[in-house]
């Protein structure tokens, strides 16, 4: 059985590392300098960083220069998310040298463009399936965007390499991941799944790791690390086999 990958999260709003509750704009808790946070996860042994431009996701500006600086300073693999919706924003994201980008809104609103960039960039494109129940949400998780399983079937047929699955009701709440949702998505696709939202404890990570045989490849951890529920070293140890 292979090890669950861990992706500590650095979500950037107005130049600061923050965490939101349910992804809602205005619910920010600030955790200071994004580069310092990213370097801390890297020094603690992270192999991945999940880096989000929340302003770009919400349409309240962007942190493009800062995101490029953080990504450029990392020796680890970077997954870049937030507001990547067209050729310009995709080119800027890929030019940071990140390992892959995570498309959200575009997969709901611009399916033809997403199919094209999946064909062009393959494994460098992941799609974020951000849901309330089984309804997808786009535009910084503020607008409904269709049915999870219908969209998943379409993206599978277009060759999407991987999905980042977030239960918005859990995100930033420290209430534990939605294991049922993760199992449901894994049953519906043969592509790897990255779990996101709600991790609160090492037991949550062990529960997600138990889904690796079903197709879960990784877990994003945000609030729990900032709240010091456990250290990254403890998390890496908990999911290594
Ligand atoms: O990833 C996005 O594009 C995004 C857009 C709008 C709101 C939030 C967004 N991402 C949030 C995250 O990726 C979180 O960092 C992640 O789900 C961690 O959640 P948690 O462990 O519950 O803090």
């Amino acid at each position: 059985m292979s090890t669950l990958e861990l992706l500590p999260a650095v979500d950037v709003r107005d130049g600061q590392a923050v965490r939101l509750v349910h992804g809602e704009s205005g619910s920010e808790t600030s955790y200071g300098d994004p580069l310092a946070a990213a370097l801390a996860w890297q020094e603690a042994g992270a192999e991945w960083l999940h880096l989000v431009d929340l302003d770009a996701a919400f349409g309240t500006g962007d942190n493009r220069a800062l995101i490029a600086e953080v990504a450029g300073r990392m020796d680890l693999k970077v997954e870049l998310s937030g507001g990547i919706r067209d050729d310009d924003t995709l080119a800027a994201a890929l030019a940071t040298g990140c390992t892959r980008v995570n498309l959200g809104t575009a997969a709901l609103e611009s399916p033809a463009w997403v199919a094209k960039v999946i064909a062009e960039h393959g494994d460098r494109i992941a799609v974020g399936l951000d849901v309330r129940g089984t309804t997808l949400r786009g535009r910084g998780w503020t607008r409904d965007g269709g049915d999870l399983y219908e969209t998943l079937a379409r993206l599978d047929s277009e060759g999407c390499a991987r999905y980042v699955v977030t239960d918005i009701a859990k995100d930033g709440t420290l209430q534990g991941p939605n294991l049922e949702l993760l199992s449901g998505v894994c049953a519906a696709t043969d592509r790897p799944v990255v779990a996101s939202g709600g991790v609160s404890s090492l037991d949550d990570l062990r529960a997600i790791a138990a889904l690796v045989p079903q197709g879960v490849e990784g877990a994003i951890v945000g609030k729990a690390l900032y709240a010091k529920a456990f250290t990254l070293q403890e998390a890496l140890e908990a999911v290594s086999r």
Side-chain angles (χ1 to χ4, degrees):
M1 196 182 296
S2 49
T3 300
L4 183 76
E5 291 175 350
L6 287 185
L7 298 85
V10 175
D11 293 23
V12 183
R13 184 109 211 236
D14 204 13
Q16 296 292 298
V18 301
R19 281 305 298 122
L20 309 178
V21 180
H22 305 311
E24 278 168 19
S25 184
S27 67
E28 289 92 335
T29 304
S30 183
Y31 295 98
D33 178 21
L35 179 59
L39 287 169
W41 307 142
Q42 178 165 276
E43 277 158 30
E47 292 182 5
W48 277 97
L49 177 71
H50 177 72
L51 183 59
V52 184
D53 188 341
L54 285 175
D55 286 299
F58 288 123
T60 53
D62 67 70
N63 300 276
R64 206 184 266 191
L66 178 56
I67 293 277
E69 188 197 349
V70 174
R73 291 281 299 274
M74 295 294 110
D75 299 322
L76 44 61
K77 291 171 272 191
V78 175
E79 175 177 85
L80 205 52
S81 192
I84 304 165
R85 295 175 190 164
D86 55 27
D87 287 334
D88 283 352
T89 47
L90 177 61
L94 294 175
T96 65
C98 67
T99 304
R100 66 176 179 244
V101 300
N102 187 34
L103 306 180
T105 303
L108 312 179
E109 297 185 0
S110 311
W113 179 76
V114 169
K116 178 186 80 117
V117 300
I118 285 172
E120 279 171 11
H121 300 286
D123 206 30
R124 288 192 83 190
I125 305 284
V127 168
L129 300 170
D130 309 316
V131 293
R132 280 199 179 270
T134 56
T135 301
L136 289 157
R137 304 278 284 174
R139 297 265 156 201
W141 300 355
T142 57
R143 277 195 223 161
D144 281 353
D147 178 70
L148 166 63
Y149 291 104
E150 282 172 20
T151 303
L152 183 60
R154 167 176 55 85
L155 290 161
D156 263 7
S157 73
E158 291 164 356
C160 184
R162 120 185 332 91
Y163 302 102
V164 177
V165 176
T166 306
D167 180 353
I168 295 167
K170 297 279 195 175
D171 199 78
T173 66
L174 295 174
Q175 284 178 0
N178 186 337
L179 300 172
E180 201 182 326
L181 171 69
L182 295 169
S183 293
V185 172
C186 286
T189 180
D190 59 1
R191 312 300 150 78
V193 166
V194 178
S196 187
V199 168
S200 69
S201 65
L202 295 176
D203 279 347
D204 286 343
L205 289 175
R206 290 186 192 104
I208 297 174
L211 299 179
V212 168
Q214 290 182 40
V216 174
E217 176 187 68
I220 293 169
V221 189
K223 185 80 167 263
L225 288 171
Y226 292 100
K228 302 193 189 320
F230 48 78
T231 66
L232 187 64
Q233 290 96 327
E234 287 170 334
L236 290 164
E237 219 174 284
V239 299
S240 67
R241 294 169 191 279

